């Protein structure tokens, strides 16, 4: 009888399975453990993590490290992924034709028209005649503004609306003899053109504007001809969904959505070579990529944005693997359409528009990671024979097959941080594997960008944990609507906030977005990457590319533990009539420890006693 | 060595005389501001209106003392706080907390009286706290500890955020600035102002609801 340990060094975690082997295929598993991987996978720093994990697994057994007969290391998958984001559209306003934004508290409500006039010029404005839209700078106090407006109204001036620089809309309106719609928080008030026909609309609380977001209503208000109406369509579109808006008719005022030339991606297959411009969007890129089979290399037009991004990815890979940059080849990409909040160029109130962007995940296949070197170092440290075992994907599938209720043909899907891997074992014990670009890190990037968080740690937490809203210091409402009460008051920093319920406690989300929006963004990002990539990977390994011919699909790895991914993938695979679920390695480990278990089983199969 | 209060005051005054006066923050130093005219409505009662934020002030506020450490008249302090609350569509109630000159305790007393459970406490020199009634006195929703940095914009933002908490929204906390020079420059003065303020405290005095008369 001998003691052996299987060790799986992954990107994020290092897992160990300890077992007794009595003879050929006669194994008894004793314990397992899991720690965070120390350093980047495949580097010598991993040794510290491995020793820690071994000790954790051995301690409850009362076995010393020295008593192990052999330690088995995985042959790590030689793929590494990286991600980037490329913006492809931007919104530009020329000549300040409009303001459309969501100040928290505009004043009054309704639709009004008039010519723009500065507050200081109001004193000399003649009574009767024109209607005025008053432009109020932040230097004048709200009480003085209200007094001046009331005086002018008393003189017989027709004041129909106001555009205000500070957050004073309600304050001014509350002091007016006759209320008017007021758009406030217009940051660059001095850029508002004076003496021009303007329309101001403020919607009631909980509603959005109706007239200024409709091109025909704008045409009606400003008596536009059909050609001019065509030109205001982007204005109307930009104003949709806002609570207040101003449209000013200037001679050359215009707004346009500009496409940024982002460069081309070149897909090289065995016999083909296809070029796709990035600004055609993710769907076009992925559709083209699907036609190139087998995809051998992906290049990008040099000297463009996407070219720069590819260069960066290759540089990172080269540094990591000690290969020359010229030898690094991108072998798969995943493109995803996304949105990025961008400040509108030439805006008056510092408005943001959602620019279109394309997120790209690239995967690089490297030469074998230096596992042998790592094995020798480990051997030195612990004084036990260390053997580099079989291919990671083969080991994982052997481990996954210990899940009760499975049999070949079984496919496993491992959604990691950098890549999505799938393997299939056929009834004839043949194993096929594939690796695709795009996984957990991509989802984090999408969440970070679409919510404008600029905080990767927070985005990572939003990806991994459910949300809740702290409604008082003694209760919170979870994202599914249920309420939880507390005996002890919560941290005051959480009061009234949307929080992520991480393992180490609730973390506030610094975002203006409502909880429902954050949930929607998170789920969409997961669908765009996880579900799509799972299908892509399964199609690649399935017999004849037909997922229906796979009877069982098991999710392994950390993503199998995610609180919603298994359900999403299971929903997507339902129509194929496949049994889908989270693996339960050895009936005890859940989706974890598949590779470490597989290493031990593979060793026992060859063991001669 | 015995250190009497008199001695401390003497030392502070000497230090202040030796320090060259900077006029960056103090726009109108030495300007005397007339006291505010308050009408006492009666002993403050706990409100039931979810639509209100209560502002608590110490006894010397607007009477024995009339401006903050950076010379903002107390009438303007109240005006900005009221405006911030009004802009969000809520009502403000003013209460004089007689029993203490501690900003946390004042704010918490205000929060306990507030129908929404949200209160603001502000000292004569400008130190301020946004409080919630379920919190402990030494906790807070937002704290503005450096009174020389509490200017008109910050006061407006304090009123606005307090109102947003009362509405159940989740406001972005008012950016707390920190000036490393505020301490050496103002600490002596702040200590004097604190002493002055504390003299007006009457232990066990009830809180009184006030209206500002113009």
């Amino acid at each position: 009888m001998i003691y052996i340990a299987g060790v799986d060094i992954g990107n994020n975690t290092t897992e160990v399975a300890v077992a007794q082997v009595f003879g050929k295929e006669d194994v008894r598993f004793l314990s397992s453990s899991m720690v965070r991987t120390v350093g980047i996978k495949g580097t010598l720093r991993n040794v510290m993590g491995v020793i820690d994990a071994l000790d954790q697994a051995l301690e409850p057994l009362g076995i010393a490290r020295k008593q192990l007969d052999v330690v088995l290391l995985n042959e790590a998958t030689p793929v590494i992924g990286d991600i980037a984001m490329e913006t492809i559209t931007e919104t530009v306003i020329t000549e300040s034709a409009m303001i459309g934004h969501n100040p928290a508290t505009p004043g009054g409500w309704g639709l009004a028209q008039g010519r723009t006039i500065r507050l200081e010029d109001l004193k000399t404005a003649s009574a009767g005649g024109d209607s005025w839209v008053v432009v109020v700078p932040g230097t004048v106090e709200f009480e003085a503004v209200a007094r001046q407006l009331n005086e002018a109204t008393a003189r017989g001036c027709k004041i129909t609306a106001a555009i205000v620089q500070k957050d004073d809309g309600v304050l001014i309106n509350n002091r007016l003899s006759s209320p008017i719609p007021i758009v406030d928080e217009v940051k660059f008030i001095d850029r508002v053109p004076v003496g021009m026909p303007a329309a101001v609309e403020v919607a009631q609380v909980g509603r959005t504007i109706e007239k200024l977001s409709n091109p025909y209503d704008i045409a009606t208000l400003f008596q536009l001809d059909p050609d001019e109406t065509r030109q205001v369509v982007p204005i109307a579109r930009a104003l949709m969904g806002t609570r207040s808006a101003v449209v000013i008719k200037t001679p050359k005022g215009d707004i346009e959505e500009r496409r940024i030339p982002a460069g081309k991606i070149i897909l090289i297959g065995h016999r083909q070579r296809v070029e796709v411009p990035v600004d055609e969007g993710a769907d076009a890129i992925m559709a083209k990529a699907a036609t190139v089979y087998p995809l051998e290399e992906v290049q990008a037009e040099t000297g463009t944005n996407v070219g720069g991004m590819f260069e960066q990815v290759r540089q990172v890979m080269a540094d990591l693997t000690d290969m020359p940059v010229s030898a690094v080849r991108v072998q798969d990409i995943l493109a995803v359409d996304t949105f990025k909040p961008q400040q509108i160029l030439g805006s008056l109130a510092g408005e943001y528009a959602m620019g279109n962007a394309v997120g790209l995940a690239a995967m690089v296949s490297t030469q074998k990671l230096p596992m042998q070197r790592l094995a020798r170092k480990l051997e030195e440290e612990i004084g036990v024979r260390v053997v580099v075992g079989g291919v990671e994907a083969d080991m994982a599938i052997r481990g996954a097959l210990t899940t009760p209720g499975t049999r070949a043909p079984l496919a496993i899907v491992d959604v990691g941080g950098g890549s999505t891997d799938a393997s299939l074992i056929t009834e004839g014990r043949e194993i096929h594997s594939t690796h695709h670009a795009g996984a957990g890190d991509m989802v984090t990037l999408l969440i970070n960008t679409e919510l404008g968080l600029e905080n990767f740690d927070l985005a990572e937490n939003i990806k991994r944990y459910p949300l809740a809203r702290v409604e008082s210091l003694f209760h919170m409402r979870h994202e599914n609507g249920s309420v939880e009460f507390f005996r002890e008051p919560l941290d005051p920093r959480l009061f009234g906030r949307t929080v992520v319920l991480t393992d180490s406690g609730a973390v506030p989300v610094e975002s203006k977005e409502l909880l429902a929006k954050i949930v929607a963004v998170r789920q969409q990002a997961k669908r765009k990457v996880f579900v799509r990539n799972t299908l892509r990977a399964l199609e690649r390994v399935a017999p004849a590319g037909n997922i229906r011919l796979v009877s069982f699909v098991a999710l392994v790895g950390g993503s199998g533990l995610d609180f919603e991914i298994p359900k999403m993938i299971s929903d997507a695979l339902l129509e194929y009539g496949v049994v889908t679920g989270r693996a339960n390695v050895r009936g005890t480990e859940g989706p974890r420890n598949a590779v470490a278990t597989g290493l031990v089983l593979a060793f026992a199969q060859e063991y001669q006693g | 060595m015995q250190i009497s209060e008199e001695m401390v005051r003497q030392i502070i005054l000497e230090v202040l005389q030796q320090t060259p006066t900077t006029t960056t923050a103090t726009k109108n130093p030495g300007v005397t501001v007339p006291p505010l005219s308050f009408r006492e409505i009666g002993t403050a009662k706990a409100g039931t209106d979810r639509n209100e934020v209560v502002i608590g002030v110490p006894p010397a506020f607007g009477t024995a003392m009339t401006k903050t450490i950076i010379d903002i008249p107390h009438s303007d302090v109240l005006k900005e706080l009221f405006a911030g609350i009004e802009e969000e569509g809520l009502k403000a109630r003013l209460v004089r907390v007689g029993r203490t000159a501690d900003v946390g305790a004042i704010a918490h007393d205000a929060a306990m009286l507030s129908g929404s459970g949200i209160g603001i406490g502000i000292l004569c020199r400008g130190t301020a706290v946004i409080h919630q009634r379920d919190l402990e006195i030494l906790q807070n929703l937002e704290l503005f500890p450096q009174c020389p940095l509490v200017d008109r914009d910050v006061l407006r933002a304090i009123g606005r955020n307090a109102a947003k908490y009362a509405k159940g929204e989740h406001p972005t906390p008012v950016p707390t600035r920190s000036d490393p020079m505020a301490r050496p420059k103002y600490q002596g003065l702040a200590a004097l102002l604190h002493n002055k303020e504390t003299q007006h405290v009457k232990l066990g005095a009830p809180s009184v609801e006030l209206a500002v008369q113009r």
Side-chain angles (χ1 to χ4, degrees):
Chain A
M1 188 275 298
I2 58 168
Y3 286 113
I4 65 168
V7 177
D8 170 24
I9 304 168
N11 283 316
N12 295 316
T13 57
T14 298
E15 296 171 354
V16 166
V18 176
Q20 280 175 306
V21 179
F22 299 96
K24 190 173 161 72
E25 295 193 36
D26 188 1
V27 191
R28 192 158 68 96
F29 283 94
L30 300 174
S31 70
S32 355
S33 69
M34 187 181 93
V35 301
R36 282 202 81 80
T37 298
V38 179
I40 292 165
K41 173 177 171 177
T43 58
L44 289 183
R45 292 190 57 203
N46 296 165
V47 170
M48 275 150 51
V50 174
I51 293 174
D52 189 17
L54 280 173
D55 287 349
Q56 278 190 27
L58 291 173
E59 209 222 313
L61 304 174
I63 301 174
R65 261 190 254 146
K66 288 251 182 286
Q67 287 172 265
L68 287 171
D69 293 280
V70 64
V71 170
L72 308 160
L73 269 190
N74 62 313
E75 179 80 79
T77 317
V79 294
I80 310 174
D82 201 6
I83 42 174
M85 177 74 64
E86 200 54 72
T87 318
I88 55 175
T89 63
E90 61 184 353
T91 307
V92 183
I93 304 176
T94 50
E95 272 220 5
S96 316
M98 62 138 217
I99 302 163
H101 74 146
N102 279 322
T105 50
W109 62 277
L111 175 71
Q113 252 187 302
R115 283 157 69 83
T116 50
I117 185 170
R118 282 198 198 92
L119 181 67
E120 65 255 41
D121 298 335
L122 198 59
K123 290 188 202 82
T124 52
S126 55
D130 276 340
S131 302
W132 300 111
V133 171
V134 186
V135 181
V136 181
T139 46
V140 192
E141 228 196 357
F142 61 88
E143 281 180 330
V145 176
R147 199 169 52 238
Q148 289 179 40
L149 292 182
N150 282 337
E151 278 165 14
T153 310
R155 274 196 303 122
C157 286
K158 263 196 284 181
I159 295 169
T160 52
I163 306 169
V164 179
Q165 186 171 21
K166 285 211 294 189
D167 183 14
D168 285 346
V170 174
L171 290 167
I172 294 172
N173 199 52
N174 283 352
R175 286 163 180 73
L176 290 184
S177 44
S178 54
I180 53 171
I182 301 175
V183 173
D184 61 2
E185 292 183 67
V186 176
K187 218 190 222 162
F188 307 107
I189 196 90
D190 41 339
R191 289 195 209 152
V192 175
V194 173
M196 298 292 167
V200 175
E201 184 175 2
V202 175
Q204 281 177 282
V205 183
R207 292 179 173 250
T208 57
I209 57 160
E210 286 168 6
K211 299 284 185 190
L212 294 183
S213 55
N214 176 9
Y216 297 126
D217 281 316
I218 299 178
T220 314
L221 288 165
F222 293 111
Q223 288 117 38
L224 303 181
D225 64 33
D227 286 333
E228 288 171 322
T229 307
R230 185 182 291 277
Q231 282 176 1
V232 300
V233 171
I235 297 185
R237 270 178 46 79
L239 294 178
M240 266 174 206
T242 60
R243 193 173 153 212
S244 69
V246 178
V247 172
I248 303 162
K249 194 180 179 224
T250 55
K252 283 192 199 140
D254 198 6
I255 166 173
E256 58 177 338
E257 201 181 62
R258 228 190 293 181
R259 297 191 90 76
I260 304 167
K264 273 182 276 197
I265 286 180
I266 304 146
L267 304 156
I268 301 168
H270 195 54
R271 257 168 286 175
Q272 300 140 281
R273 180 189 159 93
V274 182
E275 293 189 355
V276 208
V278 172
D279 60 10
E280 282 189 9
D283 288 340
I285 297 172
M286 294 318 285
K288 285 269 167 59
T291 64
V292 182
Y293 183 85
L295 188 59
E296 287 184 345
E297 190 179 351
V298 186
Q299 292 176 348
E301 193 181 352
T302 47
T304 63
N305 287 351
V306 67
M309 173 215 148
F310 264 59
E311 215 36 61
Q312 206 180 328
V313 171
R314 293 171 66 201
Q315 187 63 52
V316 171
M317 299 301 148
D319 291 349
L320 227 98
T321 55
D322 285 337
M323 286 202 291
V325 178
S326 54
V328 178
R329 289 163 59 190
V330 175
Q331 287 181 319
D332 186 43
I333 51 161
L334 174 72
V336 177
D337 281 322
T338 176
F339 304 100
K340 188 176 186 182
Q342 278 179 298
Q343 188 141 34
I344 297 176
L345 296 177
S347 71
L348 296 176
E351 301 114 297
Y352 281 82
M354 293 306 271
N356 290 315
V358 172
L360 284 174
M363 189 192 70
V364 171
S365 202
T366 61
Q367 286 155 347
K368 281 183 183 171
L369 292 170
M371 296 309 271
Q372 290 295 351
R373 208 172 52 174
L374 182 61
R376 277 199 304 277
K377 169 86 173 162
L378 184 62
E379 210 165 60
E380 251 170 58
E381 293 280 336
I382 61 173
V384 176
R385 190 161 67 98
V386 179
V387 177
V388 178
V391 177
E392 185 168 315
D394 297 2
M395 296 303 120
I397 209 154
R398 278 174 204 260
L401 267 176
T402 62
T403 300
T406 57
R407 67 165 142 72
L410 166 79
I412 57 167
V413 177
D414 181 358
V415 188
S419 70
T420 302
D421 307 332
S423 327
L424 175 91
I425 187 162
T426 63
E427 279 146 319
R429 308 298 271 182
E430 252 182 87
I431 296 177
H432 304 282
S433 314
T434 181
H435 309 287
H436 284 277
D441 294 343
M442 181 79 169
V443 173
T444 309
L445 176 75
L446 291 178
I447 292 173
N448 191 43
T449 317
E450 291 188 17
L451 293 175
L453 297 175
E454 290 171 18
N455 179 346
F456 261 91
D457 291 341
L458 179 60
E460 180 75 17
N461 278 333
I462 290 176
K463 177 183 81 180
R464 294 164 80 114
Y465 303 103
L467 296 165
R469 173 122 159 81
V470 177
E471 295 192 333
S472 84
L473 285 166
F474 293 98
H475 83 284
M476 62 167 70
R477 190 175 296 274
H478 290 274
E479 65 176 60
N480 64 3
S482 57
V483 174
E484 185 182 1
F485 291 95
F486 299 89
R487 264 179 195 286
E488 297 297 317
L490 295 158
D491 188 327
R493 277 171 300 179
L494 306 178
F495 181 79
R497 298 193 188 282
T498 301
V499 293
V500 194
L501 302 169
T502 71
D503 290 340
S504 50
V507 176
V509 178
E510 299 287 346
S511 166
K512 276 190 178 165
E513 301 294 353
L514 296 175
L515 184 140
K517 169 80 190 292
I518 302 175
V519 171
V521 166
R522 179 191 77 209
Q523 291 180 340
Q524 258 178 31
K526 285 181 178 176
R527 282 207 187 88
K528 280 186 206 168
V529 177
F530 291 147
V531 174
R532 186 177 196 167
N533 251 353
T534 300
L535 294 178
R536 217 156 65 102
L538 283 176
E539 271 166 15
R540 183 65 71 84
V541 294
N546 186 350
I547 298 179
R548 280 173 203 285
L549 299 180
V550 181
S551 322
F552 297 92
V553 172
L555 306 177
V556 298
S559 59
L561 291 171
D562 186 279
F563 66 103
E564 58 190 356
I565 295 172
K567 181 179 183 304
M568 285 180 180
I569 292 179
S570 164
D571 285 351
L573 289 176
L574 195 64
E575 56 178 296
Y576 296 95
V578 179
V579 180
T580 313
R582 185 186 293 155
N584 191 10
V585 175
R586 307 198 318 253
T588 54
E589 302 297 309
R592 291 282 187 193
N593 215 280
V595 174
T597 301
L599 280 167
V600 170
L601 291 173
F603 179 88
Q605 205 175 21
E606 306 291 319
Y607 186 66
Q608 300 301 332
Chain B
M1 191 173 77
Q2 283 289 316
I3 298 174
S4 68
E5 203 181 310
E6 189 53 39
M7 218 169 114
V8 173
R9 187 172 302 156
Q10 215 49 56
I11 292 167
I12 292 171
L13 283 176
E14 273 174 38
V15 171
L16 280 180
Q17 273 158 15
Q18 283 166 23
T19 343
T21 41
T22 43
T23 48
T24 43
T26 45
K27 279 176 194 144
N28 45 356
V31 168
T32 44
V33 178
L36 274 163
S37 136
F38 290 118
R39 185 166 56 85
E40 294 193 1
I41 295 173
T43 306
K45 292 188 191 75
T48 51
D49 193 349
R50 294 287 301 262
N51 200 17
E52 72 173 7
V53 172
V54 172
I55 300 170
V57 295
F61 191 92
T63 52
M65 295 159 82
T66 54
K67 56 184 186 180
T68 71
I69 200 163
I70 52 168
D71 292 316
I72 300 175
H74 284 170
S75 55
D76 285 9
V77 169
L78 291 179
K79 191 168 141 189
E80 292 296 343
L81 290 175
F82 275 80
I85 295 166
E86 182 187 335
E87 175 68 23
E88 294 299 320
L90 274 79
K91 286 181 283 191
R93 203 147 63 93
L94 182 64
V95 163
R96 178 191 290 148
V97 177
R99 67 176 184 94
T100 174
D102 175 88
V103 71
I106 292 172
H108 192 255
D109 279 10
M112 294 300 281
L113 293 169
S114 169
S116 66
I118 302 293
I120 299 172
I122 184 150
L123 295 181
C124 294
R125 58 181 185 277
T127 314
V129 167
I130 305 178
H131 227 305
Q132 205 275 348
R133 68 171 158 228
D134 295 330
L135 294 172
E136 300 288 343
I137 287 176
L138 291 182
Q139 293 180 309
N140 61 74
L141 290 180
E142 288 185 46
L143 168 68
F144 306 87
Q146 295 197 333
C147 53
L149 300 176
V150 178
D151 57 20
R152 286 178 169 80
D153 286 343
V154 171
L155 288 164
R156 176 77 71 93
I158 291 172
R160 186 186 65 219
N161 268 16
K164 286 191 172 198
Y165 285 116
K167 280 199 277 187
E169 292 182 7
H170 49 106
T172 318
V174 180
T176 21
R177 290 172 297 169
S178 183
D179 178 4
M181 286 310 287
R183 199 168 272 266
K185 237 156 75 182
Y186 287 102
Q187 196 163 34
L189 191 53
L192 277 183
L193 292 174
H194 176 74
N195 276 351
K196 191 170 171 190
E197 185 154 40
T198 315
Q199 284 163 9
H200 296 266
V201 171
K202 285 198 191 74
L203 288 179
S207 297
V208 179
E209 185 162 349
L210 302 174
V212 184
Q213 288 179 322
R214 298 203 171 194

